[in-house]
Amino acid sequence: MKTDIILSGVGGQGILSIAAVIGEAALKEGLYMKQSEVHGMSQRGGDVQSHLRLSDHPIASDLIPRGQADLIISLEPMESLRYLPYLKKEGWVVTNAQAYVNIPDYPGMESIRAELDKLIRKVVLDVENLAKEAGSARAANIVMLGAATPFLGIEYTRIEEGIRTVFRRKGEEVVALNLKALRAGFGAARQLTDGNQ
Amino acid sequence: MGKHLFLGDEAIAQAAIDAGLSGVYAYPGTPSTEITEYIQNSATAGERGIHSRWSVNEKTALEAALGMSYAGKRALCCMKHVGLNVAADCFMNAAMSGIHGGLIILTADDPSMHSSQNEQDNRVLGNFAMIPILEPSSQQEAYDMTYEGFGLSEKLGYPILMRITTRMAHSRAGVETRPPREQNPLHFPEDGKQRFILLPALARKRFKALLAAQDSFIRESETSLYNTYFDAPDKTLGILTTGIAFNYLSENYPGGFQHPVLKICQYPLPRKQIERLAGDCGAILVLEEGYPVVEEQLKGFLGRGISIHGRLDGTLRREGELTPDSVGKALGKDVNSYYSVPEIVVQRPPALCTGCGHRDVYEALNEVINTYQGAKVFSDIGCYTLGALPPFRAIDSCIDMGASITMAKGAADAGAFPAVCVIGDSTFTHSGMTGLLDCVNEQTPVTIIISDNETTGMTGGQDSAGTGRLEAICEGIGVAPGHIRVMIPLKKNYEEMKRIIREEIEYKGVSVLIPRRECIQTLKRKHPAKK
Ligand SMILES: Cc1ncc(C[n+]2csc(CCOP(=O)(O)OP(=O)(O)O)c2C)c(N)n1
């Protein structure tokens, strides 16, 4: 088993929480893991990315070589495109559909949509809306994680355990809210990809 | 004990606690900050009474760490790479005195400049000081080397420089921890007066001692478990890796190495192993993160007769961090990207947060400054440096911490008017206060804006050393109280702010303006509900 994942988004959107949950789940699964993250300057509203590598064999590099990622999980559609050179031909892109516009020259949504349409395997979801519908508006990142779960190579229940571990400190309510968000994302992605794997 | 998921920074912090640390001394700086923060948040460190409060700058940090070592206890001093420039005076001279309790000086270098002004490689400074250097290749090694490093420092009698880079600092992996050790008791060096008073006559002896110690440092490297030789059949090429470069090499040879590999994680360079590699192989490829430090040394070491490849002959780019791809390319492998970045994708640079007080400072300042021809705004390092970018484009310089005040002074001395400077509160106490005294002593006409968000914002909101006392500090340094002017940077106060800025620009002496409003990030953290 080996899953190489690029996580991307804009500073402050919460990609590191996604990484933390997957990391805990991987640890429980007894997998090797390396996860390189971005701190510092770019967290101020700049583009951020994290390389997350899971394997049942020891992992050498903290960074994923280009053309080898199995999966891009992105909380922002343009940011999902920025890291395409890392993706394998048959890799999946799981991305939020809603743009985060904090720059004056953000490209038109149609052109982003057109680029996403060119991809062979993708899941494009409005996770903010899904999060609102699920009654957990602040857990859009976990909805995203739910949508990506079918592609991680880790059981859904393990990811649930990861959520319990990561959010335990914040209380039962927060755990429950995030579990709900996870399910919402998982269900939505399943609907989109049925028979398309 | 047990297995934990640790950032490289966290592995180092936990190892130091487990190794009987008595104090960490540091000033924040990406990518080193999480080491000290981990110790500050560690319950064990709290119970053990380990000192962990932030220092005012890297120089005061290293001097305090050396003092703790003098008193027999184990100390850790952490900084980002440019911090070692600030601490360099103490650093060079601590190599002369040597240490008593184990002392590890940690430098977190930032090749590719993810969050820095330069990508200096502090192995150069380690070699300059002639002390041993440790450079872990994995989070586990980072833990083990720190755990053992204090003992190594005590055994050799010298400080150890530990060098990591961004990818080691900020990458997480499973780490096995070891049993905790007691702290050292308070005990002073018996030969303290011979070693720690660097008067010329004594310093000459100490320098001879440092030169003589080099052999023992090399022997340690030659027997170090962290320097490993991997034999392989194809000897047309030998590969030397340092630190995390080993991982990128391994990534390219999942089935095992084709060429002999010498993995180096402890310096000075182990002569024996290098001679073996040079003897066995027709050519050597050097893979190192940072400057071509080893590559240059090898050229001197081995003389002519063997070709050495690396960053100097263009096999690898001279600048930037290594990646599995750049290493693969140096080994003649192709990188296979199926997709490319679509043309529509644009840059997304970092920006000042919405609601940040620095924004209001620049809005008001720009309006005043634009009415003067030839006005220059010297700035400094911190969140407010983002005022360089649109829409503000408000500043003309950012060089090193504290340089805003002193550059404004020099420019004013040269006749520039108005000479304005913008500096953050933490940067002001780090290195601005001394420059302010220069200005006061000469009554230089400079307008200094200390944009006070009451925290060290850029690095994540650490305590700022002068919070609540900036006016008193400026007054103590000698700024006339009538020209220390506090304001609240909010839109509704723009007219007042503009008036004050203009008045103080027109004043032909030193003025300090302090726009003060708490950082909205730290504010949010205190009141999460208000989100
Ligand atoms: C010598 C040195 N040490 C540390 C840093 C890292 N650093 C850059 S900005 C900064 C904090 C600045 O805080 P402050 O001046 O209060 O400004 P703010 O970011 O809060 O606006 C730090 C610690 C550095 N660049 N150089």
Side-chain angles (χ1 to χ4, degrees), chain B residues 408-426:
Chain B
K409 176 178 194 308
D413 291 346
F417 174 81
V420 176
C421 107
V422 178
I423 186 170
D425 50 301
S426 180

Side-chain angles (χ1 to χ4, degrees), chain B residues 27-30 58 80 82-84 86 115-117 358 381-385 400-401 423-428 430 451 453-459 462 464 519:
Chain B
Y27 181 74
T30 314
E58 292 85 354
K80 73 180 283 154
V82 288
L84 195 53
V86 177
S115 309
S116 307
Q117 320 99 286
H358 296 320
I381 306 190
C383 287
Y384 51 93
T385 316
D400 67 85
M401 290 189 79
I423 186 170
D425 50 301
S426 180
T427 304
F428 174 69
H430 178 287
S451 193
N453 56 6
E454 304 182 297
T455 191
T456 315
M458 179 98 272
T459 43
Q462 295 76 20
S464 178
C519 164

Side-chain angles (χ1 to χ4, degrees), chain B residues 1-19 38 44 139-148 173-181:
Chain B
M1 282 183 288
K3 194 147 186 155
H4 306 266
L5 210 49
F6 279 150
L7 290 178
D9 276 352
E10 295 169 343
I12 290 164
Q14 183 61 49
I17 295 170
D18 293 342
Y38 182 94
T44 321
Q139 289 77 357
Q140 184 67 55
E141 269 186 6
Y143 180 91
D144 294 337
M145 283 177 159
T146 309
Y147 188 84
E148 295 158 8
V175 172
E176 202 79 56
T177 60
R178 301 206 216 165
R181 174 192 173 280

Side-chain angles (χ1 to χ4, degrees), chain B residues 338-464:
Chain B
Y338 180 79
Y339 301 95
S340 50
V341 185
E343 267 172 32
I344 57 158
V345 175
V346 291
Q347 302 271 77
R348 196 192 296 261
L352 288 170
C353 307
T354 332
C356 167
H358 296 320
R359 283 183 174 266
D360 299 305
V361 171
Y362 284 129
E363 293 282 358
L365 178 63
N366 270 350
E367 282 196 37
V368 179
I369 280 291
N370 290 341
T371 64
Y372 288 94
Q373 272 240 316
K376 291 292 163 202
V377 178
F378 299 91
S379 191
D380 227 298
I381 306 190
C383 287
Y384 51 93
T385 316
L386 296 171
L389 307 176
F392 306 108
R393 302 182 195 275
I395 64 171
D396 295 289
S397 75
C398 158
I399 303 289
D400 67 85
M401 290 189 79
S404 57
I405 296 182
T406 25
M407 280 184 73
K409 176 178 194 308
D413 291 346
F417 174 81
V420 176
C421 107
V422 178
I423 186 170
D425 50 301
S426 180
T427 304
F428 174 69
T429 46
H430 178 287
S431 286
M433 300 188 296
T434 43
L436 178 58
L437 183 55
D438 278 340
C439 296
V440 165
N441 285 344
E442 295 185 39
Q443 273 305 304
T444 315
V446 287
T447 308
I448 297 165
I449 300 176
I450 306 178
S451 193
D452 183 10
N453 56 6
E454 304 182 297
T455 191
T456 315
M458 179 98 272
T459 43
Q462 295 76 20
D463 289 342
S464 178

Side-chain angles (χ1 to χ4, degrees), chain A residues 10 34-37 39 41 44 46-47 53 60-62 65-67 76 79 82 85 88-89 100 102 107, chain B residues 34 115 139 167 170-173 247-248 251 324-325 336-339 341-342 344 346-348 350-351 383 457:
Chain A
V10 180
K34 281 201 170 184
Q35 182 230 327
S36 142
E37 37 183 75
H39 298 212
M41 190 106 172
R44 299 266 165 281
D47 54 282
R53 315 192 71 185
S61 165
D62 296 85
R66 283 170 180 255
E76 209 284 338
E79 295 308 324
R82 193 185 300 282
K88 280 182 181 159
K89 185 180 175 192
Y100 187 112
N102 62 346
Chain B
E34 292 79 4
S115 309
Q139 289 77 357
R167 298 298 174 182
H170 287 169
S171 178
R172 233 175 261 282
N247 307 340
Y248 300 142
E251 185 73 30
D325 304 315
N336 299 309
S337 269
Y338 180 79
Y339 301 95
V341 185
I344 57 158
V346 291
Q347 302 271 77
R348 196 192 296 261
C383 287

Side-chain angles (χ1 to χ4, degrees), chain A residues 76-154:
Chain A
E76 209 284 338
M78 182 177 78
E79 295 308 324
S80 75
L81 301 172
R82 193 185 300 282
Y83 304 101
L84 281 180
Y86 286 95
L87 193 68
K88 280 182 181 159
K89 185 180 175 192
E90 66 281 13
W92 281 89
V93 172
V94 181
T95 182
N96 186 6
Q98 244 188 63
Y100 187 112
V101 183
N102 62 346
I103 43 172
D105 52 347
Y106 195 94
M109 266 333 276
E110 329 71 61
S111 62
I112 293 210
R113 197 68 223 188
E115 290 296 338
L116 288 171
D117 281 344
K118 287 187 203 161
L119 301 174
I120 307 168
R121 301 172 124 183
K122 73 243 160 196
V123 176
V124 184
L125 284 177
D126 185 336
V127 293
E128 269 107 5
N129 262 336
L130 282 166
K132 261 183 229 142
E133 279 169 31
S136 29
R138 279 163 59 197
N141 57 341
I142 301 301
V143 174
M144 196 76 247
L145 170 61
T149 299
F151 315 103
L152 294 177
I154 299 180

